[in-house]
Amino acid sequence: MKNTDREQLFTEVVTLHKDKIYRICYAYLYEKDLVEDLYQEVLINVWNGLNKFKGNAQLSTWLYRVTLNTTITFNKKNKTHQQLFRNNIPENIIENVDTTETQQECRVNKLMQCVQKLKEEERILISLVLEELSYKEIADVLGIEVSNVEARINRTKKKLLKIYNNE
């Protein structure tokens, strides 16, 4: 792939998918500084991987895989990040929210905190659901059968709802 083609494709990927990439990163790391680091690492891996992209899968499916693989590697490399997931998020985070924040923002923040309490596979699944991917696209990204996707989503949603209601 020529450098100009690579630059054009990278610009297109970032323009069209930056919000999706960021939301997936945010689902894994609540601390904003860490999310920015992870997001930058994803972009670096996307840039480096564009030469290897052969078009066998949709660009968006490939992009999700790169994002998820980067996230998993990022967490393994950084013990402080792993510790963030293993520890319970302090109960008082929601109580100390700035009063200018709307109720909906509070609920979204609470939901993201609850997502972080899920197992890694469940966080990945919920992130893809929140991105409104089809069951087929989720199956392609995760490398599982479409028939398994619905069952996993239902189990994970029930678990997430239970966590959310117990907060």
Side-chain angles (χ1 to χ4, degrees):
M1 179 180 290
K2 295 179 187 174
N3 253 357
T4 54
D5 294 340
R6 184 177 174 199
E7 288 172 14
Q8 183 179 2
L9 184 56
F10 182 76
T11 302
E12 179 182 323
V13 165
V14 172
T15 302
L16 294 176
H17 300 284
K18 65 183 173 190
D19 292 338
K20 292 176 184 181
I21 295 169
Y22 192 84
R23 282 190 299 268
I24 291 172
C25 294
Y26 189 77
Y28 285 87
L29 298 170
Y30 189 72
E31 202 172 318
K32 185 139 175 68
D33 293 340
L34 299 179
V35 174
E36 293 295 330
D37 291 346
L38 176 56
Y39 177 76
Q40 292 301 318
E41 194 157 330
V42 168
L43 293 182
I44 290 168
N45 288 340
V46 167
W47 172 257
N48 291 334
L50 281 176
N51 283 334
K52 298 172 194 161
F53 179 70
K54 295 186 180 11
N56 296 337
Q58 288 183 327
L59 181 62
S60 60
T61 301
W62 175 82
L63 182 62
Y64 283 119
R65 285 187 185 196
V66 170
T67 303
L68 295 174
N69 289 337
T70 303
T71 300
I72 291 166
T73 303
F74 185 85
N75 286 328
K76 286 180 182 175
K77 285 192 317 189
N78 298 289
K79 291 181 181 181
T80 56
H81 298 163
Q82 286 180 335
Q83 194 172 28
L84 178 65
F85 292 122
R86 289 189 183 128
N87 293 339
N88 286 334
I89 297 170
E91 300 286 331
N92 62 353
I93 286 180
I94 295 297
E95 296 168 5
N96 292 336
V97 174
D98 185 6
T99 54
T100 61
E101 198 168 37
T102 67
Q103 286 183 341
Q104 184 167 347
E105 288 170 332
C106 288
R107 286 192 297 267
V108 168
N109 285 335
K110 181 178 177 182
L111 176 62
M112 295 312 292
Q113 291 169 4
C114 293
V115 166
Q116 290 180 4
K117 293 181 181 182
L118 295 171
K119 293 179 184 174
E120 182 175 314
E121 310 85 51
E122 295 166 333
R123 288 193 312 266
I124 291 170
L125 185 64
I126 287 297
S127 297
L128 297 175
V129 169
L130 292 173
E131 289 302 318
E132 300 178 350
L133 268 66
S134 70
Y135 286 1
K136 169 83 171 96
E137 290 171 315
I138 292 172
D140 289 346
V141 170
L142 298 179
I144 61 174
E145 295 295 322
V146 175
S147 58
N148 291 333
V149 171
E150 184 175 8
R152 288 186 185 190
I153 288 172
N154 287 334
R155 279 194 304 268
T156 303
K157 281 182 178 180
K158 286 178 184 175
K159 185 175 180 180
L160 184 58
L161 183 61
K162 185 176 181 179
I163 292 169
Y164 188 88
N165 288 333
N166 288 331
E167 287 295 306

